[in-house]
Amino acid sequence: MSASLLARCPVVPVVVLEDPAQALPLGEALLAGGIDVVEITLRTAAGLAGIRALASLPELLVGAGSVLVPRHVEEVVEAGARFVVSPGFSGSVVDRCAELGVPALPGTSGASDLMAAVERGLTEVKFFPAGLLGGPAAIAALSAPFPAMAFLPSGGVKAENMADYLALPAVPAVSGTWMVEPALLADGRWSEVTSRAADAVARATATS
């Protein structure tokens, strides 16, 4: 993932879609709240269709999450994904992303994963599950031997603790689900999505 992407927006929502019809109003609600990057996961059957729908919004940078195998990379790129996120490190997934010219953001949980990322020339990674792995303190410790690496913490990140992560020089952005909870999407509470997105951006801006 290019350095400009994590610098683009300090908050990256992680979305689990149950219905592709939720995609466009969700994208518009996030944009209205100041968030222009989103990760749509492949955890549900609606994921690919959701990526395809959101790719029609030129202001929104749409990525695919929960990408586990090279075949997934091909599917999400065909659907319009412009970056790829994985829960862990897979060399074959990272390599396929490189072949297709799509930035990869593999999940890392420790020094071995980070060494594998460095070997492939990556300078940005996901740190997952951040909360269970030690939170900001763990990232601060890992960033010492990997000073050129930028981290996107995910898992256990929420409005109340995002500032603790963003206070670290190695963390230009965080990802989470609190502004795109499934219940909000199911009920069509798009104004609440916009409100939470705007609040997240404001909290991030206050930290920087």
Side-chain angles (χ1 to χ4, degrees):
M1 185 174 288
S2 66
S4 62
L5 181 55
L6 288 191
R8 173 172 171 150
C9 186
V11 184
V12 180
V14 179
V15 181
V16 180
L17 282 179
E18 296 295 343
D19 182 350
Q22 299 168 349
L24 275 179
L26 168 65
E28 291 165 351
L30 290 172
L31 287 169
I35 290 179
D36 62 358
V37 179
V38 65
E39 172 190 334
I40 305 297
T41 73
L42 298 185
R43 299 178 195 177
T44 65
L48 274 178
I51 291 169
R52 191 168 287 110
L54 286 170
S56 68
L57 295 175
E59 315 97 303
L60 193 65
L61 191 68
V62 183
S66 303
V67 174
L68 307 179
V69 294
R71 174 176 54 83
H72 289 165
V73 179
E74 297 156 10
E75 292 172 350
V76 300
V77 170
E78 187 277 330
R82 294 167 62 189
F83 64 94
V84 168
V85 185
S86 300
F89 190 92
S90 164
S92 59
V93 167
V94 172
D95 291 345
R96 190 59 178 138
C97 287
E99 291 167 0
L100 296 179
V102 179
L105 190 71
T108 59
S109 60
S112 295
D113 291 335
L114 289 166
M115 288 179 68
V118 170
E119 283 182 353
R120 280 176 162 78
L122 300 180
T123 58
E124 296 187 348
V125 294
K126 176 178 178 177
F127 186 64
F128 175 82
L132 293 177
L133 292 173
I139 295 175
L142 286 168
S143 65
F146 299 95
M149 190 66 71
F151 296 81
L152 177 73
S154 183
V157 181
K158 47 194 175 183
E160 294 77 16
N161 66 9
M162 61 181 286
D164 297 333
Y165 288 98
L166 290 170
L168 298 173
V171 178
V174 298
S175 67
T177 61
W178 73 92
M179 76 294 291
V180 290
E181 290 177 352
L184 297 179
L185 278 54
D187 296 340
R189 293 162 58 191
W190 308 120
S191 61
E192 178 67 14
V193 172
T194 294
S195 176
R196 294 191 187 189
D199 175 72
V201 171
R203 289 173 185 261
T205 303
T207 304
S208 61

